[in-house]
């Protein structure tokens, strides 16, 4: 048994509540440098505080953070919201959105398997894609494959994927990637967005 699976076993024994896994899929490409990435970092703390205000949600929501620029990283694997310490994000490089989507969906598959093995029920997982652009720097076929996977998972009710476009984002392009209508963020108001989430 790995340390991670032991921690999960203890957590699930102490808190057998149904879970709601939530992946924050965040664009950290170069165009997010400066005020946008600062506002996003602040927004992550707002998200934690707002969820923790609701005692039931605090016991059920698990969050993971996936970032994408030239590379895809998982600075925060799944963790209970009360233990979530938002990472400090920096911006650089291009926008490997397709690879980011694949990583987010892979994380969810693994987490759902862990729930099932531990007898924990769960709600439909959420993925929140937050970007100020569109895919760049990766083959279009990779983006199309990831988009097909998102749409298939949505149709099969395996995930609910929401796209949020920061000002300047290409919402028409995002519509070809996610099944739900993308939402445009007003300015850099991540605080309002994360309160809504």
């Amino acid at each position: 048994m790995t340390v991670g699976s032991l921690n999960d076993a203890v957590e699930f024994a102490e808190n057998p509540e149904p879970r709601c896994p939530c992946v924050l899929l965040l664009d950290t490409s170069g165009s997010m440098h400066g005020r946008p990435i600062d506002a996003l970092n602040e927004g992550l703390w707002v998200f934690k505080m707002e969820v923790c205000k609701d005692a039931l949600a605090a016991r059920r929501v698990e969050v993971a953070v996936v970032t994408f620029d030239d590379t895809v990283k998982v600075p925060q694997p799944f963790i209970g919201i009360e233990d979530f310490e938002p990472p400090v994000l920096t911006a650089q490089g291009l926008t490997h959105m397709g690879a980011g989507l694949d990583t987010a969906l892979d994380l969810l598959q693994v987490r759902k398997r862990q729930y099932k093995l531990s007898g924990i029920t769960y709600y439909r997982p959420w993925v929140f894609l937050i970007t100020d652009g569109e895919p760049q720097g990766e083959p279009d076929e990779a983006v199309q494959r990831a988009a097909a996977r998102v749409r298939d998972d949505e149709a099969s009710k395996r995930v609910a994927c929401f796209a949020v476009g920061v000002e300047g984002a290409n919402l028409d392009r995002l519509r070809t990637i996610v099944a739900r209508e993308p939402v445009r963020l007003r300015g850099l108001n991540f605080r309002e967005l994360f309160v809504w989430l």
Side-chain angles (χ1 to χ4, degrees), residues 57-139:
R59 291 181 58 81
R60 293 182 172 182
V61 172
E62 291 189 333
V63 65
V65 176
V66 175
T67 61
F68 60 95
D69 43 59
D70 284 342
T71 59
V72 176
K73 299 181 186 92
V74 183
Q76 178 58 70
F78 277 108
I79 192 167
I81 192 70
E82 291 180 325
D83 295 322
F84 175 49
E85 291 292 323
V88 176
L89 306 175
T90 57
Q92 64 198 9
L94 297 174
T95 313
H96 289 197
M97 189 180 295
L101 283 164
D102 276 331
T103 300
L105 295 175
D106 290 345
L107 267 180
L108 285 171
Q109 282 183 338
V110 169
R111 195 60 177 159
K112 289 190 291 186
R113 198 172 312 122
Q114 291 165 335
Y115 293 152
K116 289 175 185 173
L117 289 172
S118 299
I120 298 293
T121 58
Y122 58 90
Y123 299 98
R124 188 194 310 193
W126 291 1
V127 173
F128 288 97
L129 165 63
I130 302 174
T131 180
D132 73 337
E134 59 188 289
Q136 290 182 334
E138 64 185 335

Side-chain angles (χ1 to χ4, degrees), residues 15-195:
N15 176 11
E17 287 283 341
R19 296 305 200 277
C20 181
C22 175
V23 177
L24 302 177
L25 178 56
L26 308 175
D27 183 346
T28 54
S29 62
S31 58
M32 290 287 288
H33 184 74
R35 285 185 52 235
I37 203 74
D38 292 342
L40 183 55
N41 279 316
E42 178 191 348
L44 293 176
W45 281 101
V46 171
F47 174 69
K48 175 182 176 158
M49 290 185 308
E50 289 298 319
V51 175
C52 286
K53 285 180 183 177
D54 182 315
L56 188 58
R59 291 181 58 81
R60 293 182 172 182
V61 172
E62 291 189 333
V63 65
V65 176
V66 175
T67 61
F68 60 95
D69 43 59
D70 284 342
T71 59
V72 176
K73 299 181 186 92
V74 183
Q76 178 58 70
F78 277 108
I79 192 167
I81 192 70
E82 291 180 325
D83 295 322
F84 175 49
E85 291 292 323
V88 176
L89 306 175
T90 57
Q92 64 198 9
L94 297 174
T95 313
H96 289 197
M97 189 180 295
L101 283 164
D102 276 331
T103 300
L105 295 175
D106 290 345
L107 267 180
L108 285 171
Q109 282 183 338
V110 169
R111 195 60 177 159
K112 289 190 291 186
R113 198 172 312 122
Q114 291 165 335
Y115 293 152
K116 289 175 185 173
L117 289 172
S118 299
I120 298 293
T121 58
Y122 58 90
Y123 299 98
R124 188 194 310 193
W126 291 1
V127 173
F128 288 97
L129 165 63
I130 302 174
T131 180
D132 73 337
E134 59 188 289
Q136 290 182 334
E138 64 185 335
D140 195 49
E141 301 78 41
V143 178
Q144 290 173 3
R145 276 194 308 274
R149 188 175 172 196
V150 167
R151 290 174 178 279
D152 182 56
D153 280 1
E154 276 271 11
S156 302
K157 302 201 182 306
R158 289 189 293 265
V159 71
C161 186
F162 303 88
V164 178
V166 179
E167 281 187 7
N170 184 342
L171 293 192
D172 289 334
R173 183 69 171 106
L174 289 177
R175 285 184 188 98
T176 69
I177 296 170
V178 296
R180 297 167 188 266
E181 180 64 20
V183 176
R184 184 175 301 281
L185 184 69
R186 286 192 314 239
L188 295 175
N189 198 348
F190 288 109
R191 174 175 291 275
E192 182 180 291
L193 168 68
F194 282 112
V195 168

